[in-house]
Amino acid sequence: MDQLKPQSEKNYSLYAAKPFLKWAGGKTQLINEIEKKLPIDFKNKSYTFLEPFVGSGAVLFWFLNKYPKIEKAVINDINSDLINTYKVISSKPEELISILSIIQDEYYAHGGNQEKKSEYYYHKRASYNLRNSEKTTQAALFIFLNRTCFNGLYRVNKNNAFNVPMGSYKKPTICDSDNIRAVSNTLQKVEILCGDYTQTLNYAGENSFFYFDPPYKPLNNTSSFNSYAKDEFNDEQQIRLKNFCSEIDNLGYKWMLSNSDVKGMDQNNNFFDELFSEFRINRVKATRRINSNAEKRGELNELLITNYANEPNLNITVI
């Protein structure tokens, strides 16, 4: 099939892969602080990079672009629809591009007719929620919904049905062919897992580095993006994750974990300060970009917690 052949002779190994999704809680704005907090020897050692909550992959792609000595990476997520999309991009990028191109053309054909665009969106959302399409089509629907829904949110109900309404974008990019090919090339050295984050430990070896970006603890009762998966990541799950961090610390692996700074909203809330008291807790500035109320978007503190010391004199507050 001619349409499944690459559209050019570009060398996509030279392209810097970037996230192919919009994502609430994406870590692009934290990259500079994450880099400051890496182990001192990170540039000089061939680490295995493990990301048990991969999400949009902002940190993953940055690591693999920045540090070519990373010969292997392992990603995981409990969201099977997300992981299916990663696997399809890795193994069948041209088929995915072909389907996305058709969807994009159909969506664009409605022009400024919001009623028709809305009808198209909700029809595709219903098809996606049936989850009876073959895997490549399901991945294309996943990307389409992400690029056209409200603020790029991913939220499902207890029946695992995606329920985010349509966004107000005039002409969103649905099929970014060049980036899909670049991402596919990058993913060739990535082991892609789906399930509980603890399974990533089975893939750790000498010089392994874990980066944890779990669902954040809500700053208040209205700030949560629940639910990313049909089972909520509550305080009990935060404690379970901390215990896993202690386990891999005892095994000698280095790790970094990001989370919300609940103390910034309530000085008496010492949940993370007490939970991770044996480790290094760093408060760093981040930018809230996704909020239904524009007045609530802006800078706030987040946490970067590590189980190792780093270079002194960093311009961050250490507890």
Side-chain angles (χ1 to χ4, degrees):
M1 296 175 62
D2 291 341
Q3 65 178 345
L4 298 186
K5 293 179 181 179
Q7 301 300 304
S8 71
E9 298 300 321
K10 294 178 183 178
N11 182 358
Y12 288 95
S13 65
L14 302 178
Y15 279 60
K18 60 185 179 182
F20 54 91
L21 300 169
K22 298 180 180 181
W23 210 249
K27 289 295 162 293
T28 301
Q29 74 274 18
L30 268 186
I31 290 297
N32 289 338
E33 298 295 348
I34 289 173
E35 184 172 20
K36 292 177 186 178
K37 292 304 298 168
L38 289 175
I40 297 172
D41 61 359
F42 200 88
K43 292 181 180 179
N44 303 319
K45 280 189 178 181
S46 180
Y47 275 90
T48 294
F49 175 76
L50 301 101
E51 189 169 3
F53 303 87
V54 68
S56 68
V59 174
L60 167 74
F61 297 126
W62 176 79
F63 265 101
L64 294 181
N65 291 330
K66 178 83 174 181
Y67 298 102
K69 281 195 173 184
I70 296 178
E71 296 179 354
K72 180 182 178 182
V74 180
I75 62 174
N76 176 78
D77 208 282
I78 199 171
N79 185 328
S80 58
D81 298 300
L82 172 65
I83 291 301
N84 173 64
T85 306
Y86 272 98
K87 288 182 176 180
V88 166
I89 291 176
S90 176
S91 62
K92 299 180 179 179
E94 297 305 323
E95 289 185 25
L96 177 63
I97 289 168
S98 178
I99 297 171
L100 275 175
S101 295
I102 293 170
I103 292 175
Q104 179 170 272
D105 289 344
E106 291 175 344
Y107 189 74
Y108 286 179
H110 296 304
N113 190 327
Q114 287 300 114
E115 183 178 347
K116 287 292 185 181
K117 288 168 74 174
S118 179
E119 181 181 329
Y120 187 86
Y121 173 86
Y122 288 107
H123 172 72
K124 292 299 185 186
R125 193 179 78 170
S127 296
Y128 171 82
N129 282 329
L130 289 175
R131 291 184 172 82
N132 59 7
S133 301
E134 51 84 27
K135 292 182 178 180
T136 308
T137 298
Q138 199 67 23
L141 290 171
F142 184 96
I143 293 173
F144 165 72
L145 292 173
N146 174 265
R147 305 301 295 185
T148 56
C149 74
F150 176 76
N151 271 348
L153 294 179
Y154 190 87
R155 182 186 65 201
V156 295
N157 61 24
K158 292 188 181 297
N159 295 320
N160 201 32
F162 180 78
N163 60 5
V164 181
M166 188 177 80
S168 58
Y169 310 106
K170 291 184 178 180
K171 198 173 183 180
T173 300
I174 295 167
C175 182
D176 187 344
S177 302
D178 283 354
N179 190 54
I180 288 174
R181 294 185 179 109
V183 168
S184 180
N185 182 75
T186 299
L187 290 177
Q188 297 313 302
K189 63 177 179 180
V190 178
E191 185 85 28
I192 305 172
L193 310 175
C194 182
D196 189 79
Y197 59 85
T198 57
Q199 69 176 321
T200 55
L201 183 56
N202 298 327
Y203 295 80
E206 187 178 2
N207 295 331
S208 287
F209 177 78
F210 289 78
Y211 172 66
F212 294 98
D213 182 30
Y216 275 21
K217 179 175 170 61
L219 294 175
N220 52 54
N221 292 333
T222 62
S223 65
S224 175
F225 290 118
N226 284 345
S227 285
Y228 167 73
K230 61 182 179 178
D231 299 315
E232 293 183 14
F233 204 89
N234 55 23
D235 285 358
E236 183 178 338
Q237 291 297 321
Q238 299 284 0
I239 294 168
R240 177 174 176 255
L241 174 57
K242 183 271 172 184
N243 292 335
F244 181 65
C245 288
S246 293
E247 178 183 353
I248 62 175
D249 176 64
N250 290 334
L251 291 171
Y253 301 126
K254 292 183 174 71
W255 56 260
M256 179 188 295
L257 179 145
S258 55
N259 217 310
S260 57
D261 183 13
V262 293
K263 194 175 182 66
M265 296 293 290
D266 178 2
Q267 285 298 311
N268 296 317
N269 191 337
N270 295 308
F271 181 83
F272 287 120
D273 297 76
E274 294 175 356
L275 186 62
F276 286 93
S277 60
E278 65 199 274
F279 301 113
R280 292 175 62 86
I281 302 175
N282 305 274
R283 287 184 160 85
V284 300
K285 293 294 183 183
T287 303
R288 182 196 300 275
R289 293 184 178 179
I290 298 182
N291 193 300
S292 58
N293 185 341
E295 294 181 358
K296 293 183 179 179
R297 298 171 188 164
E299 273 199 345
L300 72 164
N301 282 341
E302 290 189 7
L303 302 179
L304 284 180
I305 305 171
T306 65
N307 70 327
Y308 54 86
N310 204 323
E311 296 173 307
N313 301 322
L314 294 179
N315 186 27
I316 50 181
T317 302
V318 180
I319 296 176

